[in-house]
Amino acid sequence: MSQAQCFDILDEFNSNLNHPLATQHVQKVINDAYSGQFHAASREYVNALLETWVPDADRRVYLQRSQTTWYKYAKPRSERVNSHVHEWQADLMAYFNQRIFQTTTGLPKRLYGHF
């Protein structure tokens, strides 16, 4: 989600708290989170949040550690089964331009625009 959307949601949440934080503090935390310098919350911080907000019965689900680490590597487009809409659009525009180029005489005409 965008940084602006994140601020809107967290600002509304913060406003509904009994003791809300200052708006400038919320904005600073969001700016820090979106800076790219942080990769994940520390385990101690997550545990403290869980102890505060999650009932004991549900906490064990969140605290289970997995020995498996998942990494997603992007495949080259030629190996993918699915593609993005913008790739479909580029493919169609290239196809149309190629067909128009082949069927016209003189200077090639090109299609521009979006669907």
Side-chain angles (χ1 to χ4, degrees):
M1 86 174 44
S2 72
Q3 192 168 343
Q5 289 172 315
C6 178
F7 176 77
D8 290 342
I9 292 168
L10 290 179
D11 186 47
E12 183 177 340
F13 175 81
N14 184 50
S15 298
N16 290 323
L17 294 174
N18 290 336
H19 304 287
L21 299 171
T23 304
Q24 297 84 358
H25 184 72
V26 173
Q27 187 65 53
K28 182 184 179 320
V29 170
I30 293 170
N31 289 340
D32 288 346
Y34 276 80
S35 71
Q37 296 176 356
F38 304 99
H39 299 288
S42 71
R43 184 137 185 96
E44 294 80 25
Y45 183 71
V46 172
N47 285 337
L49 287 173
L50 289 172
E51 287 175 14
T52 303
W53 296 100
V54 178
D56 288 337
D58 296 333
R59 196 175 308 154
R60 61 183 165 76
V61 173
Y62 294 102
L63 293 176
Q64 290 176 347
R65 281 194 170 184
S66 172
Q67 298 301 319
T68 306
T69 303
W70 296 94
Y71 294 97
K72 182 173 180 179
Y73 296 101
K75 294 180 183 177
R77 183 160 180 226
S78 60
E79 295 178 18
R80 284 190 266 144
V81 175
N82 300 314
S83 60
H84 299 282
V85 172
H86 70 274
E87 293 173 335
W88 292 7
Q89 182 179 1
D91 290 344
L92 287 171
M93 294 305 292
Y95 174 78
F96 291 148
N97 285 327
Q98 179 186 23
R99 297 296 292 180
I100 290 171
F101 180 74
Q102 291 174 350
T103 58
T104 59
T105 57
L107 295 174
K109 294 181 182 176
R110 300 240 182 243
L111 292 175
Y112 293 101
H114 301 283
F115 297 106

